[in-house]
RNA sequence: UCCUCGAUAGCUCAACGGUAGAGCAUCCGGCUGUUAACCGGAGGGUUGUAGGUUCGAAUCCUACUCGAGGAGCCA
């Protein structure tokens, strides 16, 4: 007898109607009655669950089946029947139901509403709920969409290192990677830890960004992207920060800030459209139970052009607004979260690129503009999530870059290779970083980053 | 790291100085098409931890732990 998945049954119903099949899955809900009952069975192949109908005069073990609980695993044998007048399109009339693995009555996941906080404490089980089933399917589909978007356009996927010798990229606190004895590390004569005795013969950390290495590849392959894990040891306690997250970092040569923004906008729209097309059941569920505006908002985003304003214009908009802010608005200070939210949610009402920030508040590698005060940087702000993307045109002029590195105390020894990229055919190039989880939050309407990561790592929390 | 709020049954919450309750879940019974089914019944608690105030504390006070929201930092 053919073992079929729920996804096959839903996608190819006509092929299976009237057929005897086997389905394996887990009970979401069992509603037994006197002489018959219904099991909602989920096998993970599709967001939707399958209804199993079982009857007393069809099953030898009717009493046993009627007593099975949520979470138990089953092998179900039966006939596929279309049910056009019912809530579900098809069901299985069981001829045999075998218990594959029982699930005792203290199973934490019950067919009722649970809080997201509780489910985080049982992260090993929460993927069996509708919400997390939807979120993690979308995460998988979106990851594939990212690859497809770049691959279709001829980008090379580069695996930049996870362990880095650089500790001065300015992107946040880093996690030390070491094999030294934490209790009794070897010391230099003047009493400091002697990292020359460490595994790599030097101090090493987990990467906070693959950008610098991606630049090296962009200057060989033209268009590249990274997509991998990133680590920040920042003591951030917010719904938008995790210690371990995935970042997408494209880098394009012979290109400036304008091309960079065009790429960012196209990528965001592509991923949104792809997920809406490939995960309609999941998106409908999220639209109904998480955020009623979700689909409307995403459709709008996918069809409208993103706004573009300069930092200087943003300051003017904020200064002219009647809104009162907790933090003062003045040229030269970075935009606060409240300012960013006002811009994207109230003043403009859609995603907006803010460009050309003052040099002093941005990273050393961003290209200085002709005004001598600003750099060719861009942040993409989106309603609800805030900063989704940060990018820039990179400083390709060796003398300018060296000057910025010296001014900002970036080690020329450690990053000599980075400077050398400018010396040997260093054309203008640009790139950006997207927090993959923030993209998923935006797509799924989920407001906490811990709920879009299978097993999240945050300050003081590394369970599972 | 800072500010604010919270922690009571497996889960979601009520009780706000005077005998700790409800809904859901679980268990038992009923029910011929259910859809987070429905109807009846039962079990289930050192009120986050440690101290203090009081005749009496879930309730008031202190510290700690954990969680949430906001801020900073960022993606």
């Amino acid at each position: 007898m053919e073992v079929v998945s729920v996804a096959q049954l839903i996608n190819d119903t006509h092929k299976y109607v009237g057929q005897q099949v086997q389905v394996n899955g887990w009970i979401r809900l069992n509603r037994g009655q006197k002489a018959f009952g219904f099991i909602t069975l989920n096998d993970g192949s599709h967001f939707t669950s399958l209804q199993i109908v079982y009857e007393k005069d069809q099953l030898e073990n009717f009493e046993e089946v009627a007593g099975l609980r949520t979470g138990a695993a089953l092998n179900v044998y039966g006939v596929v029947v279309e049910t056009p007048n019912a809530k579900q399109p098809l069901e299985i009339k069981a001829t045999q139901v075998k218990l594959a693995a029982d699930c005792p009555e203290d199973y934490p996941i019950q067919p009722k509403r649970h809080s997201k906080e509780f489910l985080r404490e049982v992260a090993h089980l929460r993927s069996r709920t509708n919400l997390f089933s939807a979120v993690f399917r979308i995460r998988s589909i979106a990851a594939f969409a990212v690859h497809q978007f770049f691959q279709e356009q001829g980008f090379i996927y580069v695996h930049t290192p996870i362990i880095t010798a650089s500790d001065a990229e300015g992107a946040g606190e880093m996690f030390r990677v070491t094999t030294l004895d934490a209790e009794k590390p070897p010391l230099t004569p003047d009493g400091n830890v002697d990292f020359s005795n460490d595994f790599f013969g030097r101090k090493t950390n987990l990467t906070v960004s693959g950008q610098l290495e991606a630049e090296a590849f962009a200057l060989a392959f033209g268009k590249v992207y990274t997509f991998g894990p990133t680590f920040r040891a920042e003591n951030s306690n917010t719904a938008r920060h995790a210690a371990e997250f995935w970042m997408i970092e494209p880098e394009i040569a012979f290109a400036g800030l304008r091309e960079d923004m065009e790429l960012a906008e196209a990528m965001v729209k592509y991923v949104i459209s792809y997920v809406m097309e490939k995960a309609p059941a999941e998106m409908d569920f999220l639209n109904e139970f998480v955020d009623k505006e979700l689909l409307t908002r995403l459709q709008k985003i996918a069809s409208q052009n993103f706004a573009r304003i300069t930092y200087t214009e943003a300051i003017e908009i904020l200064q002219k607004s009647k809104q009162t802010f907790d933090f003062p608005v003045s040229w030269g200070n970075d935009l606060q979260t409240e300012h960013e939210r006002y811009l994207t949610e109230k003043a403009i009402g859609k995603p907006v690129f803010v460009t050309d920030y003052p040099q002093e508040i941005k990273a050393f590698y961003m290209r200085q503009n002709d005004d001598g005060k600003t750099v060719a940087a861009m942040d993409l702000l989106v309603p609800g999530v805030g900063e989704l993307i940060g990018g820039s045109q990179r400083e390709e002029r060796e003398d300018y870059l060296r000057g910025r590195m010296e001014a900002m105390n970036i080690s020329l020894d450690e990053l000599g290779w980075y400077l050398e990229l400018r010396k040997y055919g260093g054309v203008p190039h640009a790139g950006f970083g997207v927090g993959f989880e923030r993209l998923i939050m935006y797509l799924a309407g989920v407001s906490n980053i811990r709920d879009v990561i299978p097993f999240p790592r945050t300050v003081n929390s590394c369970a599972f």
Side-chain angles (χ1 to χ4, degrees), chain A residues 332-347:
Chain A
N333 290 328
D334 207 355
L335 299 176
Q336 302 292 318
T337 297
E338 58 172 345
H339 303 147
E340 294 181 342
R341 293 192 61 151
Y342 176 84
L343 286 170
T344 185
E345 289 170 14
K346 298 218 171 99

Side-chain angles (χ1 to χ4, degrees), chain A residues 169-171 211 358-367 375 377 392 394-395 401 404 408 410:
Chain A
E169 286 165 28
Q211 179 199 317
Q359 185 173 51
E360 287 68 30
I361 60 175
K362 287 292 180 182
F364 73 93
Y365 49 73
M366 297 186 178
R367 190 182 195 278
V375 289
S392 68
R394 319 308 190 188
E395 183 57 81
L401 181 60
R404 285 307 290 164
M408 295 174 79
I410 310 288

Side-chain angles (χ1 to χ4, degrees), chain A residues 15 54 67 105 109 183 185 200 241 308 314 323 338 385 396:
Chain A
K15 187 175 156 190
Y54 58 95
E105 62 195 64
I109 309 296
E183 308 281 317
F200 295 103
H241 289 86
R308 281 149 212 236
Q323 189 92 5
E338 58 172 345
V385 169
E396 83 281 9

Side-chain angles (χ1 to χ4, degrees), chain A residues 181-340:
Chain A
D181 184 348
E183 308 281 317
K184 307 188 292 267
L187 300 177
T188 57
D190 50 352
N192 295 316
V193 176
D194 183 5
F195 287 101
S196 68
N197 272 313
D198 206 346
F199 186 89
F200 295 103
R202 61 197 297 180
K203 217 192 262 187
T204 49
N205 296 296
L206 291 178
T207 183
V208 291
S209 164
Q211 179 199 317
L212 304 188
E213 289 90 351
E215 285 186 50
F217 262 54
L219 295 171
F221 294 92
K223 297 193 285 188
V224 304
Y225 69 105
T226 74
F227 183 10
T230 309
F231 306 89
R232 303 224 174 139
E234 208 67 53
N235 188 8
S236 287
N237 285 289
T238 80
R240 294 179 191 78
H241 289 86
E244 177 182 312
F245 63 101
W246 282 56
M247 191 150 64
I248 305 154
E249 294 177 290
E251 196 71 32
I252 46 178
F254 300 101
L257 195 65
R258 195 166 54 83
E259 292 83 359
D260 204 30
M261 287 189 283
E262 281 166 5
L263 181 67
E265 179 168 348
M267 191 211 74
V268 170
K269 288 177 172 176
Y270 186 96
V271 175
I272 288 175
S273 301
Y274 190 92
V275 169
M276 286 200 295
E277 186 196 329
K278 300 289 183 185
E282 289 83 349
M283 294 306 294
D284 284 347
F285 172 82
L286 294 167
N287 194 61
E288 190 175 344
F289 291 102
V290 178
D291 181 352
K292 301 262 188 217
E293 310 291 313
L294 184 64
L295 288 178
T296 314
R297 188 167 64 240
L298 291 177
Q299 272 150 8
K300 218 170 107 184
I301 300 302
S303 59
Q304 281 185 346
N305 290 330
F306 295 1
R308 281 149 212 236
I309 59 172
T310 65
Y311 166 87
T312 304
E313 288 164 347
I315 294 293
E316 283 166 14
I317 290 170
L318 291 167
Q319 282 173 338
K320 281 180 192 159
S321 80
K322 299 203 162 58
Q323 189 92 5
T324 52
F325 297 108
D326 292 335
F327 292 86
V329 177
S330 73
W331 202 99
N333 290 328
D334 207 355
L335 299 176
Q336 302 292 318
T337 297
E338 58 172 345
H339 303 147
E340 294 181 342

